[in-house]
């Protein structure tokens, strides 16, 4: 019986491997043999989760043709991977990826580090900040005071608590988009909202147009749902969408869904202007594509002179073309797993009906906490604290990276939580691996793309500041030196760092 659970095509694997090549090593250093470079490349893809564990690899002849190398090179690479525990084979069943005994299974998304690992490893993988106290504690206290009437019910509210739905509807109305509570469904975070939308609109094999780059966890969620991702390149720098490309993809590919982050895009930090928003909605409506707009970063403008454009849903107030996803996780705290969808009432009814086979509803206590914050003005106070902290961290991280890695290129976003950095020709995948060895965790660019794109980038979140930001940049510089030297030589374990 075969031990593999999925398969990787030769052309797909070749694209990922070819994009991964780093710039030449420094003077006096030999290039590794071709088979060794190929084995290292596949190992990196497995360690990053971009090729799943237990995925069947192409036959030696197929991969050799796709890479234009000899079959002997592929055979030697596969044998090296088997020796190291990253590949298993069986006659008649082929070869499939594995991890050596004792190694943790690689994550395919961007999950936070366990707290016990934070003493020696600086985590730049998760774009989330600590809770803005005292507002978390106050919201929980307020929720507990309002809980007793709900405790006498069954506690299942598939569409969300009526009180929170009304509050969210009022907030959209105050932003200039008249909204009824019937247009709101409360979810378990923005990921819960996206999962519900994908299951309703994007069944297995459906095309979904996505920004390129885009948020890694959403891309993985869509892959797991069986969607066929159609990447649409962003404009250079912070220019946001290339409307010409979007119109072409919507016209030619006719995707069922389109997923975009208009406000302080994750990972680039771009902010789409009003003309771009209007144009994209018009193009989606003409193509019959449902546009999902992620507003999780909307309130995180960091500079005082930022003029926020109207929301994308302002150009489709009925919610038939634009589905808006919001969340408390970025603006308030990731541990407050409350998200929501704004859409037409019939869409909301369909989402709620489908939810009966998923999680039935969102925790009541957390909904009461968010509602308390939004009703009392605590939300605005907490988000102001979040902006101040993110702004301070952004400025510290930018200064540290410019000092330690002057050849790295980036534009400083006016909001959001992430910096999208071009790494001076170095492989982002190899930087991520080297970073783990010197004590800094950083996600590589290809996690935010499709089929190996953005190998020359990493994403740096504004989650550390002060001395920790300086130490993080120093460790990134050490990782870059390792990559430049071919990852040769031993590395001392990172020292424990206390802010």
């Amino acid at each position: 019986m075969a031990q593999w659970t999925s398969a990787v095509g030769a052309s797909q694997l070749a694209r990922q491997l070819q994009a991964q090549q780093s710039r030449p090593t420094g003077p006096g250093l030999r290039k590794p043999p071709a088979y060794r470079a190929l084995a290292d490349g596949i190992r990196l893809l497995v360690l990053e989760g971009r090729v799943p564990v237990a995925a069947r690899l192409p036959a030696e002849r197929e991969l050799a043709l796709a890479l234009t190398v000899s079959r002997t090179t592929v055979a030697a690479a596969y044998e090296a991977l088997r020796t190291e525990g990253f590949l298993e084979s069986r006659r008649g069943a082929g070869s499939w990826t594995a991890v050596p005994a004792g190694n943790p299974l690689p994550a395919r998304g961007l999950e936070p580090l366990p707290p016990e690992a934070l003493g020696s490893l600086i985590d730049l993988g998760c774009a989330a900040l600590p809770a803005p106290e005292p507002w978390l504690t106050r919201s929980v206290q307020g929720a507990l005071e309002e809980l007793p009437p709900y405790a006498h019910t069954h506690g299942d509210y598939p569409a969300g608590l009526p009180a929170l739905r009304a509050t969210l509807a009022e907030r959209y109305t105050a932003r200039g988009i008249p909204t009824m509570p019937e247009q709101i469904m409360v979810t378990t975070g923005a990921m819960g909202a996206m999962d519900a939308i994908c299951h309703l609109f994007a069944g297995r094999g459906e095309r979904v147009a996505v920004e390129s780059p885009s948020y890694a966890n959403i891309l993985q969620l869509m892959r797991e749902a069986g969607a066929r991702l159609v990447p649409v390149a962003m404009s250079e720098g912070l220019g946001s969408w290339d409307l010409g490309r979007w119109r072409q993809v919507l016209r030619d590919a006719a995707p069922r869904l389109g997923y975009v982050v208009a406000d302080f895009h994750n990972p680039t930090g771009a902010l789409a202007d009003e003309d771009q928003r209007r144009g994209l909605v018009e193009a989606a409506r003409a193509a019959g594509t449902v546009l999902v707009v992620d507003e999780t970063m909307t309130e995180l403008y960091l500079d005082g002179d930022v003029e926020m454009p109207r929301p994308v849903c302002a150009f489709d107030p009925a919610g038939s073309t634009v589905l808006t996803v919001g969340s408390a996780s970025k603006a308030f705290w990731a541990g407050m797993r409350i998200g929501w969808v704004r859409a037409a009432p019939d869409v909301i009814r369909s989402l709620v009906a489908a939810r009966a086979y998923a999680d039935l509803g969102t925790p009541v206590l957390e909904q009461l906490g968010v509602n308390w914050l939004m009703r009392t003005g605590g939300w605005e106070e907490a988000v102001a604290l979040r902006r101040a902290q993110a702004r301070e961290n952004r400025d510290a991280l930018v200064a540290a990276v410019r000092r330690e890695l002057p050849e790295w290129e980036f534009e400083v976003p006016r909001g959001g939580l992430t910096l999208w950095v071009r790494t001076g020709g170095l492989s982002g995948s190899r930087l991520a691996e080297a970073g783990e060895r010197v004590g800094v965790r950083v996600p590589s660019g290809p996690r935010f793309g499709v089929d190996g794109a953005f190998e020359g980038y990493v994403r740096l979140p504004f989650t550390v500041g002060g001395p920790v930001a300086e130490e993080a940049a120093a460790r990134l510089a050490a990782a870059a030196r390792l990559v430049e030297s071919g990852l040769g030589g031993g590395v001392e374990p990172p020292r424990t760092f206390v802010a």
Side-chain angles (χ1 to χ4, degrees):
M1 180 178 173
Q3 301 298 305
W4 48 273
T5 56
S6 62
V8 181
S11 59
Q12 176 190 359
L13 184 58
R15 284 196 300 271
Q16 290 180 298
L17 289 165
Q18 288 163 349
Q20 191 188 70
Q21 295 171 2
S22 60
R23 72 184 180 191
T25 55
L29 294 168
R30 283 200 234 166
K31 281 184 73 173
Y35 86 89
R36 183 70 261 173
L38 175 55
D40 286 347
I42 294 173
R43 177 177 55 82
L44 276 174
L45 292 173
V46 173
L47 287 173
E48 282 210 317
R50 292 191 284 125
V51 168
V53 175
R56 186 179 187 274
L57 294 186
E60 294 170 4
R61 187 184 302 278
E62 290 179 71
L63 187 57
L65 286 170
L67 291 171
T68 62
V69 299
S70 72
R71 183 176 175 181
T72 303
T73 297
V74 177
Y78 278 14
E79 181 57 35
L81 289 168
R82 276 190 287 269
T83 301
E84 295 162 5
F86 286 95
L87 196 68
E88 296 180 11
S89 303
R90 180 175 298 168
R91 186 177 297 277
S95 299
W96 57 91
T97 56
V99 293
N103 278 38
L105 284 175
R108 304 196 70 190
L110 302 178
E111 80 295 344
L113 279 175
E116 61 268 19
L118 294 177
S120 61
L121 195 61
I122 298 175
D123 185 12
L124 297 182
C126 186
L129 290 162
E133 289 288 25
W135 295 105
L136 175 61
T137 299
R138 291 180 183 176
S139 70
V140 173
Q141 291 169 342
L144 286 171
E145 291 174 3
E146 297 177 7
L147 181 62
Y150 296 94
H152 295 292
T153 73
H154 50 60
D156 286 334
Y157 295 87
L161 291 185
L164 181 55
R165 296 176 74 194
T167 297
L168 292 167
E170 289 170 12
R171 290 177 70 84
Y172 278 106
T173 300
R175 293 169 67 191
I177 307 100
T179 302
M180 305 178 294
E182 292 80 9
Q183 290 180 263
I184 302 291
M185 181 177 85
V186 180
T187 61
T188 307
M191 292 295 289
M194 287 302 306
D195 183 63
I197 290 168
C198 285
H199 278 89
L200 183 62
F201 287 96
R204 188 162 296 277
E206 291 278 7
R207 293 185 181 92
V208 179
V210 295
E211 297 155 322
S212 184
S214 187
Y215 179 38
N217 285 343
I218 294 294
L219 294 181
Q220 192 56 38
L221 183 153
M222 292 175 175
R223 290 188 188 102
E224 298 290 345
R228 296 165 60 189
L229 301 184
V230 183
V232 187
M234 300 279 286
S235 294
E236 286 296 316
L238 299 179
S240 198
W241 303 322
D242 184 325
L243 275 183
R245 286 174 173 155
W246 268 101
R247 290 189 180 102
Q248 181 179 355
V249 167
L250 293 174
R251 181 180 62 247
D252 295 347
R256 185 72 178 92
L257 283 182
Y259 169 75
V260 296
V261 185
D263 301 319
F264 311 119
H265 175 260
N266 186 355
T268 68
L271 176 65
D273 64 34
E274 197 153 302
D275 287 341
Q276 289 176 319
R277 295 167 191 238
R278 180 187 295 105
L280 185 56
V281 172
E282 291 172 353
R285 184 181 292 117
T289 297
V290 174
L291 195 62
V292 183
V293 179
D294 186 332
E295 282 196 337
T296 53
M297 298 283 189
T298 295
E299 298 189 68
L300 292 178
Y301 50 87
L302 304 184
D303 297 329
D305 59 345
V306 175
E307 292 188 16
M308 292 299 295
R310 285 186 290 170
V312 179
C313 58
F315 304 100
D316 179 52
S320 56
T321 296
V322 176
L323 311 186
T324 302
V325 172
S327 172
S329 298
K330 299 297 186 185
F332 185 72
W333 184 47
M336 187 72 84
R337 303 303 305 160
I338 298 296
W340 53 86
V341 181
R342 180 199 180 276
D346 62 315
V347 173
I348 295 296
R349 285 193 294 271
S350 296
L351 289 169
V352 171
R355 191 175 194 179
Y357 308 101
D359 62 359
L360 290 177
T362 302
V364 169
L365 192 63
E366 292 182 26
Q367 292 187 72
L368 289 172
V370 171
N371 192 56
W372 183 91
L373 285 166
M374 290 180 171
R375 286 291 188 185
T376 62
W379 179 269
E380 284 70 25
E381 296 277 356
V383 172
L385 287 175
R386 171 66 74 242
R387 290 191 198 108
Q389 186 179 14
R391 184 186 310 113
E392 183 178 328
N393 287 356
R394 178 197 63 182
D395 295 346
L397 186 64
V398 164
V401 172
R402 282 178 171 163
R403 181 176 61 254
E404 296 286 345
L405 293 150
E407 69 278 13
W408 286 17
E409 302 171 25
F410 53 85
E411 289 189 50
V412 181
R414 310 291 304 279
L417 290 172
T418 58
L419 196 66
W420 186 237
V421 181
R422 192 192 302 266
T423 56
L426 296 180
S427 159
S429 298
R430 296 182 187 279
L431 277 166
E433 184 189 37
E436 295 274 353
R437 298 171 64 183
V438 299
V440 60
R441 178 175 180 256
V442 58
S444 65
R447 286 182 175 268
F448 304 89
V450 177
D451 280 350
F454 307 109
E455 187 59 59
Y457 290 81
V458 293
R459 189 195 75 171
L460 305 180
F462 312 144
T463 51
V464 297
V468 187
E470 294 174 7
E471 178 68 13
R475 294 185 186 187
L476 285 171
R481 289 192 293 272
L482 279 176
V483 175
E484 288 174 326
S485 67
L487 288 174
V491 181
E492 295 182 7
R495 61 188 180 276
T496 299
F497 185 80
V498 180

